[in-house]
Amino acid sequence: MPILITTQTLDRKEAVRRINMIAGRDMRGMADEYEISVWKNGHENKGWAGLVIERYLGLPQNSRQAPDFGTWELKVVPLRPDSGGKLRVKESMAITMLEPAEVLASTFEDSHLYDKLRSMVVVSRVYESPQELHSTLHAAAEFDLDNRKIREQVARDYETIRTKIRHSGIDSVTGDLGELVQARTKGRGHGSRTRAFYARTKFVAHILNLQKLALMPRVLPARHEQEFDRESV
């Protein structure tokens, strides 16, 4: 049974511990247990898995742009096995809505995007089929923007999108902009004009420790450090 959190605060490491305690459980069954609708009016409720984790942790539903638990953000992303059985990220991860006026008025460090990314718990689940009859909880991982190279790249992506909005308007922003973070339409139908920031699949794979990004600094074994230092002189 979940422990009710009366305020939207929960230590991040404790949340990861609690989530990983139920790794292997069927999240679809948990949705039924918590009476969370997976389907609404013939369409999948895209946020159902996140609601399951929130309910398990005792958090009431939250639609604000502030982090879910006061100091950190919760996200749930689907994985699916490739032909060799290795788990891969199924799709990009929605981070936060893109409000053009807010983006134009805010530097990266003052943006909703930064506020969401700076402290996260990302939960992975195994996607089995479009019917979502079953979905196994895989694992939970912490993520911070503490790696300088990654933080700088995300900031560059934000500024690229911000500059495009400033010079050409929001309708000129397309999903091809950004190396790690992109901005694209959100919602059903090709006519949607609502946009959100998304983490590209390779960024999500890095966050989940499934794959390290090429821009990560090279870490040398300790026994080679002195040799490397001599070659660098």
Side-chain angles (χ1 to χ4, degrees):
M1 294 294 292
I3 299 173
L4 181 63
I5 303 167
T6 55
T7 59
Q8 292 187 350
T9 59
L10 175 65
D11 179 77
R12 188 168 60 150
K13 290 188 181 298
E14 174 62 15
V16 169
R17 186 191 70 81
R18 291 186 193 178
I19 296 168
N20 284 329
M21 282 178 59
I22 60 170
R25 282 193 60 179
D26 180 12
M27 294 186 67
R28 182 62 174 79
M30 293 177 70
D32 293 340
E33 177 185 343
Y34 294 139
E35 299 182 343
I36 294 170
S37 299
V38 176
W39 297 91
K40 291 182 178 180
N41 301 320
H43 297 284
E44 183 178 359
N45 173 15
K46 291 292 187 180
W48 73 266
L51 292 176
V52 166
I53 298 298
E54 289 181 357
R55 192 69 59 81
Y56 168 71
L57 293 175
L59 177 72
Q61 186 173 350
N62 170 31
S63 61
R64 299 175 300 108
Q65 283 198 308
D68 292 328
F69 287 86
T71 59
W72 54 270
E73 176 72 12
L74 174 69
K75 295 291 182 182
V76 180
V77 297
L79 308 176
R80 63 181 174 189
D82 61 17
S83 57
K86 187 173 183 179
L87 290 175
R88 305 285 187 181
V89 176
K90 177 179 177 289
E91 60 196 24
S92 56
M93 180 182 75
I95 304 170
T96 190
M97 297 303 297
L98 189 163
E99 300 292 345
E102 184 270 333
V103 171
L104 290 176
S106 304
T107 63
F108 175 61
E109 288 76 12
D110 294 327
S111 68
H112 288 311
L113 177 63
Y114 174 76
D115 202 34
K116 292 282 188 176
L117 284 175
R118 65 184 174 84
S119 184
M120 305 179 76
V121 169
V122 183
V123 180
S124 52
R125 67 180 182 94
V126 181
Y127 169 89
E128 294 187 6
S129 71
Q131 290 73 38
E132 296 282 25
L133 298 178
H134 300 281
S135 183
T136 302
L137 194 154
H138 179 254
E142 295 180 66
F143 176 75
D144 303 289
L145 278 176
D146 54 358
N147 180 275
R148 180 178 58 82
K149 289 189 176 182
I150 291 177
R151 177 171 173 159
E152 288 175 353
Q153 182 58 60
V154 174
R156 283 194 293 270
D157 292 345
Y158 178 83
E159 288 302 327
T160 297
I161 294 165
R162 187 183 186 208
T163 298
K164 187 72 171 178
I165 295 173
R166 180 181 295 115
H167 290 166
S168 306
I170 185 62
D171 289 338
S172 69
V173 175
T174 55
D176 60 327
L177 298 175
E179 178 70 21
L180 299 181
V181 173
Q182 63 178 170
R184 56 182 175 81
T185 56
K186 183 178 177 65
R188 299 189 184 96
H190 295 292
S192 174
R193 298 185 64 185
T194 304
R195 283 173 170 78
F197 286 108
Y198 287 81
R200 293 189 182 274
T201 55
K202 63 180 179 180
F203 190 18
V204 179
H206 169 78
I207 291 170
L208 294 173
N209 297 314
L210 297 177
Q211 179 181 335
K212 291 300 181 184
L213 290 165
L215 56 76
M216 285 290 291
R218 182 164 169 249
V219 178
L220 296 173
R223 65 180 179 273
H224 294 315
E225 288 180 352
Q226 291 181 347
E227 181 181 350
F228 177 77
D229 288 341
R230 287 197 301 269
E231 292 176 353
S232 301
V233 174

